[in-house]
Amino acid sequence: QVQLVESGGGLVQAGDSLRLSCAASGRTFGTYSIGWFRQCPGKDREFVAGFSRSAGRTYYADSVKGRFTISMDYAKSTLFLQMSTLKPEDTAVYYCAADHHVGTSELSVPARYTYWGQGTQVTVSS
């Protein structure tokens, strides 16, 4: 089992950057596939980026490709989402998620993840 705690959200202006953190405790973080999702009120949870343990690579939604970057500090069991050139449409609650058994083709499917953080609000003003 793994516990996830996000942090780093806040209010920024369009064009600014922000880095979200997801601290993991429990079992070894490196044995999990992980994902970042976001959700706006009244909308479904949307895949942002993920790391496939089996493939050993990261994947990004088209809407954030080139602007967002996943990185991991395995020594600190912390996942990061570096967000640059933020846009008002990036406003959402951001969640990190982890699961031992998510296949590469399933990284973007929220239902495939067992463990979730509590979320952190990101608001981008125009």
Side-chain angles (χ1 to χ4, degrees), residues 10-62:
L11 172 63
V12 296
Q13 292 186 332
D16 285 351
S17 299
L18 203 60
R19 189 176 78 161
L20 305 183
S21 300
C22 175
S25 60
R27 297 187 63 181
T28 306
F29 199 35
T31 65
Y32 289 79
S33 288
I34 50 182
W36 282 100
F37 292 81
R38 64 189 182 187
Q39 189 168 24
C40 297
K43 294 190 176 181
D44 292 337
R45 199 160 290 190
E46 173 191 24
F47 173 76
V48 175
F51 173 77
S52 168
R53 178 176 62 89
S54 59
R57 57 160 291 186
T58 54
Y59 297 84
Y60 298 91
D62 288 343

Side-chain angles (χ1 to χ4, degrees), residues 102-116:
V102 179
T104 299
S105 62
E106 301 169 315
L107 273 181
S108 62
V109 181
R112 293 298 294 119
Y113 292 82
T114 301
Y115 306 108
W116 290 86

